[in-house]
Amino acid sequence: MKQPFPFSAIVGQEDMKRAMILTAVDPGIGGVLVFGDRGTGKSTAVRALAALLPEIAVLEGSPTNAAQAADHPDWADPVSGKTRRVPTPVVDLPLGATEDRVIGALDIERALTRGEKAFEPGLLARANRGYLYIDEVNLLEDHIVDLLLDVAQSGENVIEREGLSIRHDARFVLVGSGNPEEGELRPQLLDRFGLSVEVRSPTDIEERIEVIRRRAAFDTDPDAFLKKWRREDTRIRKAILTARDALSGIATPDDTLRDCARLCMTLGSDGLRGELTLLRAARALAAFEGQSTVSRHHLRTVAPMALCHRLRRDPLDEAGSTARVTRTVEDVFA
C-alpha cells in the first residue's frame, strides 16, 4: 500500500495542521472544515494525519470496528472474540455517493442467493472510531447532508427501510474540505464542524519552492523521503498520545471560562456551542503543548478556528470572519 506524504513534511498551513492535531488529541471537538484554494494540501494533510495515529484494537470480523463484544451489533455475523490491531480508519465519502452506500442497505446478493434478509454496512459503519473525509463537502447533496447531521449529532446510524430495523455506532471525526468559490456550505452542517480553517496558496516564493522540492523528492524516492521525516512524525505521534492521556487532568480556571463567555458574547455568537468548542480546543492545545492549565495563549491561538464559522455576516465589515475574531480577541484580552 502506498504510504501517504509525511504530515511533518507539509510546508506551511500551520492552522490546518494544528486543527487536525487537536481533533486527534480530542476527537470530541467535532471535526474540522478546511476551506480554501485547490492544491493547498487539504487532502494530503488528512491522509498524513491518519498515518500518524496509533492503531486501534477491533474484533475480528466486526463491520463497525467494535472494540469489544458489547459494542458488536446484533445484526452482524457472530465474531470469535479475538481482536486485532488495525490502522485508524479514514473513509472517503465521495460526491455522488448514494444514501444506500453511505448508511448501508439490504444485502441484495445474500437475499437472492440464500433467501436471507441481511444488512450490508455502508461507509458510516466503516468510519466508526475513525475519520470520515468529504472532499468538496460544499457540493454534497442535501439529503446526504441531512443524514450526516443526524448521525453526527447522535453518534448512531439508524436505518428503517425495506423491512430492516438496524442501528449501529457511528462515531467519527468529520473532516470536510472545499473551495468556497464553488458553493457555500449549508449553515446547519457548517455549525456541526468543531473547527474551521482557511487555507491559501503560498505567496512567498521560497515557500513555494520548498513545496515543490519536497514533493519532487517524495515522488522520486518515497522510501528515502519517509525515512528522513520519520523521526519528526514519530515526535508528533508521541505528543498526541501523551496529550490524550493528559487531557482529563488539564485545569480550567474560572477566569478562562469567563474569557470564553466574554469573547463569544462580544462576537455575537449564537448559542453556546462556540464557548464549548473554544474551551475544548484550548484544553487540547494545552495538553499537546505539555501545559497543565488552559491560559489566554491557548484561547488566543484556537479562537479563530473555533469561532470564525459561527459568526453572523456583517455587511459593513469587509475584514472577513477570521480577522474579526482576531481583532475581538485582542480587544477582549487587552
Side-chain angles (χ1 to χ4, degrees):
M1 186 175 71
K2 184 179 179 181
Q3 291 289 317
F5 193 84
F7 188 83
S8 55
I10 296 173
V11 179
Q13 312 296 6
E14 298 302 328
D15 287 343
M16 175 178 67
K17 291 190 287 187
R18 182 180 293 113
M20 291 187 177
I21 287 173
L22 296 183
T23 64
V25 172
D26 182 2
I29 286 175
V32 186
L33 174 66
V34 184
F35 251 26
D37 300 335
R38 302 183 196 90
T40 45
K42 301 186 288 293
S43 302
T44 300
V46 175
R47 290 174 174 79
L49 176 68
L52 275 184
L53 300 179
E55 295 181 335
I56 60 173
V58 303
L59 290 172
E60 287 185 354
S62 173
T64 60
N65 305 317
Q68 53 190 352
D71 299 330
H72 184 62
D74 54 7
W75 49 263
D77 292 334
V79 292
S80 65
K82 294 182 179 177
T83 61
R84 62 189 178 99
R85 302 195 69 80
V86 300
T88 298
V90 177
V91 175
D92 285 286
L93 196 160
L95 289 180
T98 64
E99 186 172 330
D100 284 355
R101 187 178 177 194
V102 176
I103 66 173
L106 179 68
D107 188 337
I108 299 297
E109 182 180 352
R110 198 159 161 180
L112 293 176
T113 57
R114 302 190 206 172
E116 298 175 353
K117 185 179 289 184
F119 177 66
E120 183 176 9
L123 298 177
L124 296 182
R126 289 173 48 200
N128 187 39
R129 301 180 64 204
Y131 282 71
L132 183 67
Y133 175 56
I134 312 171
D135 193 15
E136 299 184 293
V137 62
N138 47 329
L139 304 182
L140 206 60
E141 295 182 25
D142 284 351
H143 69 284
I144 301 294
V145 170
D146 289 338
L147 69 86
L148 283 178
L149 288 174
D150 291 341
V151 175
Q153 184 175 22
S154 65
E156 189 176 51
N157 183 27
V158 180
I159 305 99
E160 300 280 356
R161 56 164 59 178
E162 298 162 343
L164 292 173
S165 180
I166 298 292
R167 62 181 58 218
H168 64 77
D169 291 340
R171 296 184 174 85
F172 47 80
V173 176
L174 183 62
V175 180
S177 64
N179 185 339
E181 295 178 357
E182 297 172 347
E184 295 186 351
L185 194 63
R186 284 175 57 184
Q188 296 93 330
L189 184 56
L190 184 62
D191 190 51
R192 286 295 168 190
F193 284 98
L195 307 176
S196 173
V197 292
E198 299 175 21
V199 291
R200 293 284 177 262
S201 303
T203 55
D204 179 77
I205 189 167
E206 296 301 327
E207 186 174 339
R208 296 182 79 107
I209 291 172
E210 188 60 23
V211 171
I212 299 169
R213 180 181 291 121
R214 292 186 188 181
R215 186 70 219 189
F218 177 72
D219 292 340
T220 303
D221 189 346
D223 291 338
F225 192 80
L226 290 168
K227 182 179 180 181
K228 177 181 179 181
W229 290 94
R230 186 168 296 141
R231 176 176 294 181
E232 183 60 18
D233 267 9
T234 300
R235 185 192 67 77
I236 297 174
R237 181 190 293 114
K238 289 181 177 177
I240 290 173
L241 295 179
T242 301
R244 284 182 175 181
D245 293 338
L247 193 57
S248 60
I250 300 297
T252 309
D254 285 348
D255 287 346
T256 298
L257 302 182
R258 188 172 298 279
D259 281 342
C260 289
R262 285 180 60 205
L263 191 53
C264 290
M265 286 181 64
T266 305
L267 285 166
S269 175
D270 292 332
L272 293 171
R273 193 168 288 148
E275 283 99 324
L276 297 174
T277 305
L278 174 61
L279 180 61
R280 200 155 187 161
R283 287 171 55 87
L285 180 61
F288 184 72
E289 292 184 347
Q291 304 296 312
S292 58
T293 303
V294 178
S295 68
R296 281 188 167 181
H297 154 70
H298 302 119
L299 293 179
R300 184 180 278 109
T301 302
V302 301
M305 65 178 71
L307 300 176
C308 69
H309 57 305
R310 307 181 194 280
L311 304 185
R312 296 176 182 174
R313 289 184 176 176
D314 183 351
L316 301 179
D317 192 334
E318 300 178 352
S321 55
T322 300
R324 283 173 58 194
V325 173
T326 303
R327 188 178 60 209
T328 304
V329 168
E330 297 307 319
D331 291 343
V332 170
F333 291 175

